[in-house]
Amino acid sequence: MQKNNSQVAQRKHFRIESEIMNYMNYVMKNEIYDENVKKATITYVKLTKPRDELFVYIDTYDRTKIDFILKCLNEAKPAFKRALASHLNLRKIPNIFFERDLTIDRMNEMEELFDKINNKNK
């Protein structure tokens, strides 16, 4: 049974995203010396299909400082690009965009809605 070319491409794309996420977390903790950057955690990454843009979604324990941490991460972009260039075997290193991971915010909103529904039914 042969694998479909699109399935193989999807697996390769997912593997590259996973490798990027693991390595960027490593770089953030071990090679970037800004303590504010070390407070962030990469929750997931999204590499666009032509592999020219990399969206890195981050979260942090102290959510009140996330905007400041995003600013620090953006200042450290050149270091991340150099690290990725030396570690990954890609033709072109993608432009990196750091974004706030909104998953927990959305989860809290849904939980509040469920609580309102439950209180309404009582």
Side-chain angles (χ1 to χ4, degrees):
M1 192 162 125
Q2 289 186 346
K3 290 185 181 178
N4 181 328
N5 281 343
S6 67
Q7 288 176 331
V8 173
Q10 285 177 338
R11 284 189 181 171
K12 182 177 181 181
H13 193 81
F14 178 75
R15 182 184 52 79
I16 292 170
E17 285 179 337
S18 179
E19 188 174 348
I20 288 172
M21 185 174 102
N22 290 335
Y23 191 67
M24 284 190 73
N25 267 317
Y26 171 82
V27 168
M28 197 169 11
K29 303 301 181 201
N30 298 307
E31 295 181 14
I32 306 288
Y33 299 108
D34 185 345
E35 289 300 316
N36 294 307
V37 169
K38 292 183 180 196
K39 293 177 184 176
T41 302
I42 297 173
T43 54
Y44 65 97
V45 298
K46 181 69 179 152
L47 183 63
T48 58
K49 287 295 181 187
R51 297 186 188 156
D52 58 351
E53 293 180 339
L54 176 68
F55 294 92
V56 180
Y57 296 90
I58 64 124
D59 205 353
T60 182
Y61 182 72
D62 185 2
R63 304 190 95 218
T64 60
K65 296 181 180 180
I66 198 159
D67 291 328
F68 179 69
I69 291 172
L70 279 169
K71 180 180 174 272
C72 294
L73 284 164
N74 281 315
E75 290 173 359
K77 259 187 212 182
F80 282 108
K81 284 190 83 160
R82 276 192 305 275
L84 287 176
S86 68
H87 182 73
L88 297 176
N89 190 15
L90 296 175
R91 286 186 203 144
K92 180 182 172 196
I93 299 302
N95 291 326
I96 301 172
F97 299 96
F98 291 100
E99 302 278 333
R100 179 180 181 169
D101 185 2
L102 300 174
T103 305
I104 292 177
D105 297 332
R106 290 181 183 139
M107 183 184 72
N108 288 337
E109 288 173 9
M110 290 180 66
E111 194 171 299
E112 288 174 14
L113 287 172
F114 289 135
D115 287 343
K116 286 179 185 179
I117 291 170
N118 287 338
N119 290 337
K120 204 177 219 185
N121 290 335
K122 288 183 180 180

